[in-house]
Amino acid sequence: MAQGAGRTITQAVAVAALAAAVTVFLSVAAVRHGFFDLQVYYGALTYWARDGGEIYDFLRPGTQYGFTYPPFAALVMLPMAYLPWNAAIVVSVTLTVLASAVVIWRLLDPVARRSGWTRWFALAVALCLAAAYEPMRETVNFGQVNMLLLFLVAVDLLWLLPARSRWAGVGIGLATAIKLTPGIFIVYLLVTGRWRAAATSVGTAAVATLVAAGLFPDASREFWTEALWNTDRVGELAFVSNQSLRGVVARLDPQHPSTIAWLALVLLTLVVWAWRSRAAVAAGDEATGLALTGAVMCLVSPVTWVHHLVWLLPGLILLVDNGMAAPARSRRRRLLLAAALVGYALLCSRIVWAWEKDFTGVDGFLGSNTYVWISLALLLGLPIRRWLTPDGGGRPGGEVPAGSASGGVAQLAEQERGESAGHRHRIGGLLAVR
């Protein structure tokens, strides 16, 4: 008992020290945005709901930025118009923190169990590290909705789909109705042969969109016919914060970016993603499917601001998971953990901003697109692990060749090998062999 209490005290002190270190780091490295995007939402919703204006006509004073999400997002956010500004900030930050904690814990729990880490300690350390992660701190300080969308998608892919719930697909559908880019996960369901979940997603998104259209016909008409196509509302494509393939191409020639080159890169990227995603699902590795699709979404979207890169978090956590699952002191473990550390460190560093004013030359091409290279590395190199099926098929652990995908996912019942022989546990209805 005394030993356990001593361990708890030591861990509490370590978490407090890490939290203090992260606070100091944020005080130096973090850029204050004053909840800029939240101010846009708040202003647009107030203008619409209380001042009698049209939501898509609103622009934040002195800027070209207005409300860019579909009408269903406006419906979901509508209560914000009746809150005091400070209360809106509290709600935004609280929801982001809660969503982040749930998603991170779901992905981290297998690592903690297998490695014998105290679970609260592992989560506390992970949340401290997440606070230093540039896309996360940008999401919080802009007042963005990225983690809430990731949460909705993760509920489908990490909980409902493995359990074969009839509700699988609802989260992806809602996320797509709120913001169009998560619609790539509907394509993911189609590519990997989960037709029922894909139909549920499409149906959910359609119903949500139609409800918003019925309630707000004028706003819906303006969004789908005008606001959606007004690219001036989202910002400059060549801006260094745009860490997508479109941003890479635009920075090569800001005045005349090649649409053909961008589309060719997108097509090639989607082919690789579809290939690897099918392999992941055929192997029963749904978490890697989530991570691969999050990475490809960041790559193929015309605009991927730095705060959108919270979608890379699952990939970084899975690198740690794969590394810790490898034999102790093995080259594979060192390589995977080093990759996770380097990727995380770069995504905390604001390195791309060193080329904000001048991204010409070889150093500008390599440095200003650093986060794009990380997304590509995750898409190409994130390991896919084979999970044993109930009839004994497959091999314990290990990486699956990308071309071995051959169908949908059977319901899996797996035994996970921990550091202690015979250690068993459940993970979201599935037991995996690492």
Side-chain angles (χ1 to χ4, degrees), residues 109-111 113-114 414-418 422-427 430-432 434:
D109 188 43
V111 193
R113 287 177 174 272
R114 184 173 55 249
E414 314 288 2
Q415 176 182 354
E416 178 164 354
R417 292 188 305 187
H423 179 64
R424 301 185 179 189
H425 61 83
R426 279 279 177 188
I427 306 175
L430 304 176
L431 293 179
R434 303 298 189 189

Side-chain angles (χ1 to χ4, degrees), residues 115-323:
S115 302
W117 300 340
T118 306
R119 299 172 74 189
W120 74 263
F121 176 69
L123 179 61
V125 169
L127 290 177
C128 287
L129 296 177
Y133 181 67
E134 183 182 356
M136 181 69 78
R137 66 188 193 236
E138 294 278 285
T139 286
V140 172
N141 208 269
F142 271 117
Q144 265 286 345
V145 299
N146 304 305
M147 283 308 303
L148 302 179
L149 300 178
L150 177 52
F151 168 78
L152 287 173
V153 171
V155 167
D156 268 349
L157 298 189
L158 301 182
W159 280 280
L160 299 181
L161 201 59
R164 289 188 169 183
S165 170
R166 64 178 179 175
W167 299 104
V170 170
I172 292 172
L174 290 174
T176 303
I178 292 171
K179 187 175 182 180
L180 299 181
T181 48
I184 187 69
F185 285 93
I186 299 178
V187 183
Y188 167 73
L189 294 174
L190 293 171
V191 164
T192 54
R194 273 72 67 82
W195 311 111
R196 177 174 177 174
T200 301
S201 293
V202 171
T204 301
V207 168
T209 300
L210 290 174
V211 167
L215 293 173
F216 316 121
D218 293 338
S220 296
R221 186 181 309 108
E222 182 169 356
F223 175 79
W224 295 107
T225 61
E226 296 182 28
L228 176 61
W229 314 104
N230 184 0
T231 57
D232 292 338
R233 297 166 67 93
V234 298
E236 175 59 44
L237 290 176
F239 185 41
V240 75
S241 182
N242 185 13
Q243 291 292 302
S244 68
L245 292 172
R246 185 62 161 152
V248 173
V249 172
R251 283 187 285 278
L252 289 174
D253 185 0
Q255 299 304 317
H256 305 94
S258 173
T259 300
I260 294 177
W262 171 58
L263 291 176
L265 288 172
V266 166
L267 179 60
L268 178 60
T269 302
L270 288 173
V271 169
V272 173
W273 161 74
W275 187 34
R276 298 212 75 212
S277 293
R278 284 177 59 82
V281 171
D285 195 353
E286 201 73 66
T288 296
L290 166 64
L292 293 174
T293 307
V296 85
M297 182 177 71
C298 294
L299 289 167
V300 304
S301 174
V303 176
T304 298
W305 302 134
V306 169
H307 57 77
H308 295 148
L309 297 175
V310 294
W311 290 92
L312 300 186
L313 264 179
L316 294 175
I317 295 173
L318 289 175
L319 281 178
V320 175
D321 191 355
N322 280 276

